Amino acid sequence: MASYQNAFICAGLAAAFWTCIGLSLSVRLMPRSLAWPVAPALGWAVHSAVVFPIFGIVGMARVTVVAVTAIALLSALLSLLRGARPVSDETDNGCIPLWAVAGAAMLATAVMAQLLPQITGSGVTFTDVIFDHSKVAMIDEMARLGVPVRNPFYGESDGMDRLSYYYLWHFSAAELVVLTGLSGWEADAGMTWFTAFSSLTLMMGLAVFASKRPVAAGWVLILATAFSIRPLLSMLFGREITYAVTGWPGGLGGWLFQITWAPQHVASAGCVLIAVYLLVDLSRRPTMPTAIVLSLIVAAGFESSTWVGGVTFVISALALGAALLWKAEPAVRLRFILSAVGAAVVAMAIASPFIYDQFRASTVRADVFPVGFTHLDVLGEETPQSLRRWLDIPAYWTVFLFTEFAAFYPTGIIMMVFLMRDRLLAQAQKAYLASFGILALVSLCVGGLLTSQLAGNNNDLGWRSVLPAILVLIISCAAGLSRYLRSMRPAYAFAAVALIGLGSFGGIESLLYGITRQSREPSPAFANSVGMWEAVRKHSEADERIANNPLFLAEVTRWPINLSWALLSNRRSCYAGPAFGPFAPRTRRPRNEIDAQFERVFSGRPEPDDLDQLANQYNCSVAVVTSQDGAWSSDPFAASPLYRLVETEAGFWRIYKRHERSTSRLSTP
């Protein structure tokens, strides 16, 4: 079971190592005021993008990972000891205060706490966010068998056994597993802490950079906790009326919501912000080091989130590149074009394994195109369909975004205008702000007009593509308030602070719920399954696949998922369940058939060929039946010649091993 102590070990190692790597680069590429705040995110992105292909060649044995890590750390330390000539210009505006760094660490700790189990005498409880962290199975897979990662969720591949997903963030967690010997679950929690901390310092650094006010860092911490004000509106006007006007909630939310559910996308959004900064810098001073680092940052952003670092950034980069080219000095335009194109080519080359795997998976899932073009539904069915078609788009910009991001959406836009008109800010500073403004506009447009179509009703593209805009609006809101709040009219100042208070109320409430979990019933069966999975590992090889009931302990989370297997087994599954459908190289209809087949088997009602297919088509080397399964009292594995009982715990579980010669016997006439 994951522990706080081990999660903190992973978090501390990640922060110390990647900050050192990043600082050796940032002190040479950025003003001193940004070097420290940007270093954690920059170091993680550059290091991960570089070592991923290296480990794909030499493997991820512990001695190899330790050696590569030591070489990278030693190189960074030698670079720092040699001294650096930091960029010095009119945009160098001081550093974020230490109290803000401490606040970021505390907020990151509160985020991490929601991923770890709360163990009581009655069992184990989780928060809802653990649902999305079931991807821990990918971390364990890479830590055991290296990269590129094979699909740990499905055994029937027909040659498509490589996982199609943007898993660079999870790869970094796997590095922590190999280095420390701790579990993938603990590494996932530690990486989430690091991502929360690094994204906060990045935003704080850019807010101080934009405002010349250290107190802007404090505003970032407050704004980062903001949630939707929809629950408050529901209390005032009623749930049905509120949802009919503001839209139904989904997976789209502010920084605190997104970091707990999908830290890999937040990490990608941080890469996008750094990439935009470097792209602007490249248009002013085209240099080879800047172009190389830019290419690595872009690759890391894509490899951590196709939606954020791919779709959103590519569209933003095209618009931003055209604007920067138009504004660039004639003498540097050609060098800027060559540098930017070169960086794009290198980034695509680095990310080519991810691009290839996702392209192949898209061709297999030919029943649906990955991205669709349709506006977000906001207004409810109470509004006639003929009007909704025209009103949903303006409602998205005026009602939906305001409801979701009341704390920083309107104020952030206004503050960005104020900053751009401020005569005391340098022109170079305004160039960066304008570029971030273009990024935010494109990000919100993508969120409102494009949808992902691979995960059923979950629009991951829309939910995650707004992340760069969220970060930019928080930065501009914090920078503007720190600079202009005292000089604003009292009514305007009160309105801005009131909106922040309303938004932060929901965020603080969410944090308290995540820590106390008072509404969750403890699960004693989950705690008991720790020993079961230890026994499974004893009877299985590192690359063998496990069959267990995909609905085992489904009641632990709000949405049914094979959570016990994902967090505790450290083994592949031959079918992990419908919740992992987007990872399957299959269209929806075959996935539904497989789901029905496993449901029959583990409810004790198999058809004649079901166990044959489990053993030989889905490569289920080991099968686990628990007392909570219908198959416990009508066990098809006990009566099958394909499997033999190897261990049992009376009243809890049975473990079966596939006969080594089962395939050849079945193929004999």
Side-chain angles (χ1 to χ4, degrees):
M1 197 80 70
S3 72
Y4 281 85
Q5 178 182 350
N6 291 341
F8 273 120
I9 290 173
C10 292
L13 176 61
F17 175 65
W18 283 314
T19 298
C20 185
I21 299 291
L23 192 61
S24 68
L25 299 171
S26 61
V27 294
R28 289 169 168 80
L29 296 174
M30 298 175 179
R32 194 181 303 274
S33 60
L34 282 178
W36 279 99
V38 173
L42 177 64
W44 165 78
V46 170
H47 174 264
S48 300
V50 169
V51 301
F52 177 83
I54 294 175
F55 288 144
I57 298 172
V58 302
M60 286 187 68
R62 189 170 192 180
V63 63
T64 305
V65 176
V66 170
V68 172
T69 302
I71 292 171
L73 181 59
L74 181 61
S75 301
L77 291 174
L78 290 175
S79 175
L80 290 171
L81 289 174
R82 286 177 56 192
R85 296 190 311 174
V87 176
S88 179
D89 58 23
E90 66 272 26
T91 64
D92 203 346
N93 300 319
C95 294
I96 60 177
L98 289 178
W99 59 262
V101 176
M106 292 176 61
L107 183 54
T109 300
V111 169
M112 185 182 73
Q114 299 186 63
L115 277 60
L116 296 171
Q118 188 176 80
I119 304 173
T120 66
S122 303
V124 182
T125 57
F126 301 95
T127 60
D128 291 337
V129 301
I130 198 65
F131 178 90
D132 257 17
H133 289 267
S134 58
K135 300 180 183 70
V136 164
M138 297 189 300
I139 299 173
D140 287 328
E141 172 78 10
M142 286 180 273
R144 286 196 320 274
L145 300 169
V147 292
V149 64
R150 307 298 172 180
N151 194 330
F153 305 106
Y154 289 87
E156 185 191 34
S157 62
D158 290 341
M160 281 286 294
D161 60 339
R162 277 174 51 159
L163 182 66
S164 170
Y165 191 69
Y166 31 84
Y167 55 81
L168 186 73
W169 186 91
H170 300 86
F171 160 75
S172 301
E175 286 185 89
L176 297 176
V177 172
V178 176
L179 288 170
T180 62
L182 301 175
S183 71
W185 187 0
E186 291 161 334
D188 177 89
M191 271 298 297
T192 301
W193 185 98
F194 169 77
T195 305
F197 177 77
S198 61
S199 64
L200 285 170
T201 61
L202 173 63
M203 288 190 290
M204 290 190 294
L206 289 172
V208 174
F209 169 83
S211 65
K212 299 185 179 181
R213 299 289 192 275
V215 73
W219 282 110
V220 167
L221 289 175
I222 296 172
L223 292 165
T225 65
F227 256 48
S228 170
I229 63 170
R230 188 177 285 105
L232 293 175
L233 295 177
S234 298
M235 292 174 58
L236 294 174
F237 304 107
R239 186 170 181 268
E240 294 299 325
I241 295 177
T242 299
Y243 284 19
V245 176
T246 65
W248 288 81
L252 186 149
W255 178 89
L256 182 60
F257 180 89
Q258 303 262 18
I259 191 66
T260 52
W261 283 91
Q264 68 271 28
H265 296 283
V266 177
S268 180
C271 290
V272 169
L273 260 66
I274 298 174
V276 167
Y277 179 94
L278 293 176
L279 191 60
V280 176
D281 205 41
L282 201 65
S283 71
R284 300 173 61 210
R285 296 182 293 264
T287 64
M288 183 66 72
T290 301
I292 292 174
V293 173
L294 174 62
S295 66
L296 295 171
I297 289 288
V298 171
F302 175 83
E303 292 171 344
S304 299
S305 172
T306 300
W307 306 132
V308 178
V311 176
T312 300
F313 177 73
V314 168
I315 298 174
S316 301
L318 292 174
L320 180 57
L324 292 174
L325 183 62
W326 178 63
K327 295 288 290 184
E329 295 291 334
V332 302
R333 283 178 181 170
L334 179 59
R335 291 167 55 202
F336 171 56
I337 294 173
L338 294 176
S339 300
V341 172
V345 171
V346 173
M348 291 180 64
I350 295 172
S352 57
F354 289 80
I355 297 172
Y356 174 74
D357 289 338
Q358 293 190 47
F359 175 77
R360 285 192 66 193
S362 296
T363 59
V364 171
R365 303 180 185 122
D367 61 334
V368 62
F369 189 74
V371 178
F373 184 84
T374 179
H375 63 76
L376 182 74
D377 292 331
V378 177
L379 301 176
E381 296 181 355
E382 294 80 2
T383 304
Q385 181 65 31
S386 58
L387 290 177
R388 287 173 58 194
R389 184 173 59 181
W390 298 102
L391 295 179
D392 266 342
I393 293 179
Y396 168 75
W397 290 96
T398 59
V399 178
F400 184 82
L401 292 179
F402 177 83
T403 304
E404 293 294 339
F405 312 130
F408 51 80
Y409 173 63
T411 310
I413 295 174
I414 295 170
M415 292 299 106
M416 181 167 287
V417 174
F418 281 9
L419 290 167
M420 291 296 298
R421 297 175 61 183
D422 195 324
R423 295 181 180 180
L424 298 179
L425 297 182
Q427 287 301 120
Q429 207 165 354
K430 294 179 180 180
Y432 293 111
L433 286 170
S435 299
F436 286 133
I438 293 174
L439 170 65
L441 176 62
V442 173
S443 174
L444 293 175
C445 286
V446 172
L449 295 175
L450 298 182
T451 60
S452 54
Q453 304 188 87
L454 297 178
N457 296 325
N458 294 342
N459 178 20
D460 276 349
L461 171 55
W463 296 349
R464 312 309 175 201
S465 62
V466 299
L467 267 165
I470 290 172
L471 302 191
V472 169
L473 290 172
I474 289 175
I475 291 166
S476 63
C477 187
L481 289 174
S482 66
R483 195 169 176 85
Y484 309 119
L485 183 62
R486 291 184 179 181
S487 60
M488 292 170 60
R489 293 182 179 179
Y492 296 161
F494 175 80
V497 173
L499 288 175
I500 293 172
L502 292 175
S504 296
F505 174 81
I508 294 172
E509 184 181 35
S510 173
L511 283 175
L512 292 176
Y513 163 74
I515 295 172
T516 59
R517 301 170 214 186
Q518 296 176 351
S519 64
R520 282 285 177 212
E521 290 295 328
S523 172
F526 188 94
N528 293 335
S529 69
V530 173
M532 180 184 77
W533 291 117
E534 289 177 352
V536 167
R537 288 192 294 274
K538 185 173 63 177
H539 294 288
S540 60
E541 300 297 327
D543 61 347
E544 288 187 319
R545 294 188 179 273
I546 313 301
N548 81 303
N549 188 350
L551 297 179
F552 176 55
L553 301 182
E555 71 281 357
V556 171
T557 55
R558 182 181 299 183
W559 304 274
I561 198 168
N562 199 351
L563 188 66
S564 173
W565 162 79
L567 297 181
L568 300 174
S569 74
N570 197 12
R571 285 296 183 269
R572 294 172 175 171
S573 174
C574 46
Y575 175 69
F580 298 101
F583 298 102
R586 291 287 179 271
T587 57
R588 287 196 181 98
R589 183 173 179 181
R591 294 203 306 262
N592 292 338
E593 293 173 354
I594 297 171
D595 184 55
Q597 187 174 27
F598 273 75
E599 183 181 351
R600 290 195 303 268
V601 169
F602 284 95
S603 63
R605 300 177 288 102
E607 294 183 356
D609 293 335
D610 282 347
L611 263 66
D612 181 6
Q613 292 182 5
L614 259 66
N616 300 298
Q617 184 175 345
Y618 306 131
N619 301 309
C620 302
S621 299
V622 176
V624 184
V625 179
T626 72
S627 57
Q628 295 190 358
D629 300 330
W632 183 256
S633 56
S634 179
D635 194 339
F637 295 97
S640 172
L642 300 172
Y643 290 89
R644 57 187 174 86
L645 182 68
V646 294
E647 187 169 334
T648 184
E649 180 75 15
F652 290 101
W653 41 261
R654 305 182 190 118
I655 300 175
Y656 295 90
K657 183 79 174 181
R658 182 179 60 183
H659 283 289
E660 295 180 2
R661 305 178 67 86
S662 61
T663 302
S664 59
R665 286 204 313 272
L666 285 170
S667 60
T668 303

